[in-house]
Amino acid sequence: MTKDQVAASLKEIGTILELNGENPFKCRAYLNAARTLETSPTDLAELVRTNRLGELPGIGDALREKITTLVTTGKLPYLDELRTSIPSGLLPLLDLPGLGPKKLRALREKLKIESLEALTQACQDGRLASLDGFGEKTATNLLDSIQRRATYRKLHRLGTALPAAQSLLTHLRACPAVHQAEIAGSLRRGKEIVKDLDLIASSNKPKEVMKVFVSAPNVEKVVAHGETKSSVILTGGIPCDLRVVPPEAWPTALAHFTGSKEHNIALRQRAIDQGLHLSEWGLLKGKSKTPLKLKDEKDLHQALGLSFIPPELREDSGEVAAAEKNELPDLLTRDQIRGCLHNHTLASDGQDTLATMAQAAAELGLDWLGIADHSKSSFQANGLDAQRLEKQIEEIGVLNSKKPKCTLLSGTECDILKGGKLDFPDSLLQELDYVVASVHSGFTSDEKEMTDRIIRAIENEHVTCLGHPTGRLLLEREAYPLNIPKILEAAAANGTWIELNANPWRLDLDWRWWHKARDLGVLCCINPDAHKTSHLRFLDFGVTLARKGWLRPHDVINTRTLAQLRKLL
DNA sequence: GCCGTTTTCGGCCCGACTGTTTTCAGTCG
């Protein structure tokens, strides 16, 4: 059983226990363990084999035993038994906003509700409203939730969420009552997928700010409208929360609403250990009612004995311990990016010419731009054959002879065929400045086959960089099965770079692996995979995700000057 | 169910909003 499958099983246990009215802390222990596994970059099978599971935080004897059983046998009698205690239609009901374990339990015991249909019926015929603790409003809201279910459940890619948040932010900042306003939540932490948008503002007139917020042009429905907190659904279905705090609470509030939840818990625990009390309203010393004076988040972290923790790192994955020892990495920044390697033109499936792409890259401040059009086996993308590629190499030579602001490099995005053979012969590959090798076919292979296939390409001396390593399309297509630790080791052994594909649909390799990759000595290449000039801006997403993966400037080849790059190549 | 250099038992982050209530439980982030 894979790590994600084990994590899903633990989550299921925690949820069923909640529904059965178990001790909430016991439930949380299972949910915490699931998260620990999901975020741990280590190989689960390896941990089990070497009996080191217990070293993970939050995993004690009971969980170690259950995880071991899951990994080695693929089953868990305890979970099977739990499943028989609840009907299959019950769990999905928990996804409805406003319906938690306690209410669902009451509905099940008093009204025998065990499915969406039964719930809808009870809301409509008045039985639900007549229950203790329920009422008319609850029934209406639940019916509304059921109707909007698809919308509420939707997740959103960074590429769509960020522009929506920025436009709301502009709307808020135009309000004179607003002191400061910022994007918070998972979006500020640079998550590749977000559930909702979190905005925060400081003001002495919160009511006015809230009024401006709920009446913003792209608000479709107001879910909650309070003095300091409101929730809306935007057209397109993205939920958005706004919190408004007085200006003096800005640093603690910004930190609080940026999260993550787990990071916040770690910080609050740290505050308690130091005789302090931390909440969104401020940092209090002992029994004092007056918050310490803080200028910004840096001040807050300092007051807790920490160096400043950038938002991207706040996932409770070692950042607090590193900040305590002043060992946080000096993260990559956008202005350090000088070029990128994986871009397309009209020759294959891109929409702009070589010259236009070079011009656009220069306008973004890039010194060098690699062109890597598809190879011949990618028929669907009008891949180049040897002859057309030779012609492109010549064209690039001509353009470069005019000494443009941004120098072009000749490359290819060469298909890795089944079995690991490349789509072009070595004799052609060696004429190029570099080679990005990617998989575009045969996604149904099993893990071993796909891993071997890719490693064979990594071992080819002409392959510079592995393109979009897992082939995932966020919220659309799963990654193909791959042993990523093995891929990373092969890349390290052969000096092959790994792409961080910055297209918001991909963001592949996933940020969760980069810390490990970095420690293995694997170099990262951030690539927009641009199919038109406007896509070059995807580099911003790439930088965010690289930061999230703890990458420093020298871990990323995009920071090299053209001369340094040529030497490396 | 996990955890511990004050604790091996008794804690486990903290607060806003809603809807149902006359003081609070449930849900959410």
Side-chain angles (χ1 to χ4, degrees):
Chain A
M1 213 180 224
T2 69
K3 194 161 63 178
D4 286 347
Q5 287 169 324
V6 174
S9 298
L10 296 182
K11 255 189 221 165
E12 195 180 341
I13 294 174
T15 313
I16 298 178
L17 290 178
E18 267 186 323
L19 276 181
N20 289 344
E22 256 290 1
N23 175 351
F25 297 106
K26 180 172 166 180
C27 307
R28 195 191 296 172
Y30 279 95
L31 301 175
N32 283 345
R35 194 179 172 278
T36 300
L37 289 188
E38 277 172 343
T39 56
S40 150
T42 42
D43 187 353
L44 185 56
E46 176 77 13
L47 280 182
V48 170
R49 197 164 48 242
T50 53
N51 204 16
R52 284 170 38 232
L53 257 183
E55 290 173 16
L56 294 178
I59 295 185
D61 292 343
L63 272 157
R64 193 188 60 224
E65 225 166 84
K66 293 193 174 80
I67 294 170
T68 305
T69 309
L70 276 169
V71 169
T72 50
T73 70
K75 286 182 300 202
L76 185 63
Y78 176 64
L79 175 55
D80 294 337
E81 198 175 314
L82 276 180
R83 280 181 179 144
T84 63
S85 69
I86 59 151
S88 60
L90 205 61
L91 280 185
L93 297 186
L94 273 181
D95 289 341
L96 291 170
L99 197 54
K102 300 261 173 57
K103 280 200 165 133
L104 189 49
R105 190 150 179 250
L107 290 175
R108 192 183 167 209
E109 281 175 0
K110 307 246 174 71
L111 297 180
K112 306 269 177 276
I113 288 173
E114 300 191 331
S115 70
L116 191 63
E117 292 70 32
L119 176 62
T120 312
Q121 188 63 46
C123 287
Q124 284 165 343
D125 64 21
R127 278 180 299 144
L128 185 132
S130 67
L131 276 186
D132 271 356
F134 291 73
E136 277 303 328
K137 195 75 208 229
T138 315
T140 319
N141 284 347
L142 274 177
L143 279 176
D144 201 38
S145 295
I146 291 169
Q147 211 166 28
R148 292 170 174 272
R149 202 155 189 255
T151 311
Y152 275 110
R153 284 164 54 96
K154 232 165 123 188
L155 296 171
H156 310 272
R157 279 176 287 269
L158 180 57
T160 36
L162 194 58
Q166 278 164 339
S167 109
L168 264 177
L169 193 61
T170 310
H171 180 76
L172 278 180
R173 283 178 174 162
C175 166
V178 169
H179 251 243
Q180 298 179 84
E182 203 45 82
I183 295 171
S186 50
L187 202 52
R188 181 160 180 250
R189 300 199 310 278
K191 284 290 285 285
E192 71 279 25
I193 299 283
V194 304
K195 200 167 109 252
D196 62 3
L197 313 179
D198 292 292
L199 299 178
I200 169 157
S202 67
S203 171
N204 290 315
K205 300 171 183 167
K207 273 187 190 165
E208 275 184 43
V209 180
M210 281 307 177
K211 216 186 262 173
V212 167
F213 174 63
V214 298
S215 56
N218 51 342
V219 167
E220 187 180 292
K221 179 189 158 82
V222 179
V223 180
H225 183 173
E227 247 182 69
T228 68
K229 176 187 171 178
S230 295
S231 300
V232 301
I233 310 270
L234 303 179
T235 30
I238 310 185
C240 177
D241 293 341
L242 172 67
R243 307 285 306 238
V244 182
V245 298
E248 59 274 17
W250 175 255
T252 42
L254 179 60
H256 175 85
F257 296 118
T258 297
S260 64
K261 185 179 155 195
E262 290 76 11
H263 170 88
N264 286 350
I265 291 174
L267 282 199
R268 288 212 197 89
Q269 191 56 56
R270 189 177 171 83
I272 292 171
D273 294 344
Q274 300 179 356
L276 300 163
H277 173 96
L278 175 62
S279 82
E280 58 263 53
W281 301 112
L283 184 64
L284 303 174
K285 194 161 202 169
K287 298 232 158 63
S288 154
K289 292 257 159 62
T290 343
L292 300 176
K293 277 218 164 27
L294 302 168
K295 210 166 59 252
D296 49 26
E297 283 183 324
K298 195 175 170 187
D299 257 8
L300 168 63
H301 291 161
Q302 205 162 36
L304 294 170
L306 303 169
S307 52
F308 175 68
I309 305 175
E312 294 92 335
L313 300 189
R314 301 181 196 168
E315 299 290 348
D316 192 28
S317 51
E319 74 279 10
V320 178
E324 182 176 38
K325 288 180 273 183
N326 200 16
E327 284 174 1
L328 282 175
D330 211 354
L331 295 179
L332 174 78
T333 56
R334 172 63 183 85
D335 58 319
Q336 292 163 337
I337 301 289
R338 297 168 184 268
C340 57
L341 286 184
H342 179 178
N343 301 289
H344 298 267
T345 70
L346 276 170
S348 64
D349 60 348
Q351 294 176 28
D352 288 302
T353 62
L354 284 170
T356 317
M357 290 294 284
Q359 174 65 31
E363 281 164 18
L364 283 181
L366 301 186
D367 301 330
W368 47 270
L369 183 77
I371 299 300
D373 271 314
H374 287 283
S375 62
K376 62 183 190 301
S377 287
S378 279
F379 307 103
Q380 78 289 349
N382 188 26
L384 279 62
D385 57 19
Q387 205 181 357
R388 290 172 62 212
L389 181 56
E390 299 267 17
K391 189 170 153 245
Q392 189 181 60
I393 295 174
E394 271 176 43
E395 285 173 27
I396 287 176
V398 172
L399 281 171
N400 280 342
S401 68
K402 295 175 187 160
K403 302 268 177 246
K405 264 196 181 151
C406 175
T407 304
L408 290 174
L409 293 154
S410 289
T412 172
E413 183 183 15
C414 186
D415 269 25
I416 304 174
L417 307 175
K418 269 207 156 170
K421 196 167 166 290
L422 294 177
D423 203 14
F424 287 131
D426 287 355
S427 56
L428 178 55
L429 295 181
Q430 71 182 10
E431 282 184 47
L432 295 160
D433 292 319
Y434 66 94
V435 173
V436 175
S438 313
V439 168
H440 292 108
S441 61
F443 295 158
T444 51
S445 308
D446 63 19
E447 180 183 304
K448 178 164 191 323
E449 199 180 332
M450 195 55 106
T451 305
D452 290 348
R453 173 179 175 182
I454 291 178
I455 287 180
R456 205 178 142 199
I458 286 175
E459 287 170 349
N460 182 306
E461 59 171 326
H462 300 296
V463 170
T464 320
C465 178
L466 173 65
H468 47 69
T470 77
R472 74 176 181 188
L473 292 179
L474 290 167
L475 300 180
E476 181 143 316
R477 184 175 76 203
E478 287 293 310
Y480 33 72
L482 205 60
N483 187 326
I484 294 177
K486 270 194 175 170
I487 297 286
L488 295 180
E489 279 160 26
N494 290 278
T496 308
W497 308 339
I498 289 195
E499 175 175 88
L500 196 176
N501 190 300
N503 184 311
W505 286 72
R506 295 190 181 272
L507 299 171
D508 179 14
L509 186 68
D510 189 284
W511 59 270
R512 294 160 186 84
W513 289 104
W514 280 110
H515 197 158
K516 182 185 172 79
R518 181 196 99 168
D519 290 346
L520 284 170
V522 174
L523 282 173
C524 169
C525 182
I526 301 176
N527 283 321
D529 198 355
H531 285 68
K532 49 183 169 184
T533 53
S534 61
H535 287 176
L536 288 169
R537 293 188 179 275
F538 291 164
L539 275 172
D540 295 355
F541 298 130
V543 171
T544 301
L545 273 297
R547 288 170 60 85
K548 204 160 181 55
W550 293 57
L551 297 186
R552 303 153 294 191
H554 55 280
D555 301 318
V556 175
I557 74 108
N558 309 65
T559 60
R560 306 296 192 271
T561 64
L562 181 60
Q564 289 169 333
L565 178 76
R566 285 208 191 280
K567 207 168 161 192
L568 276 174
L569 290 173

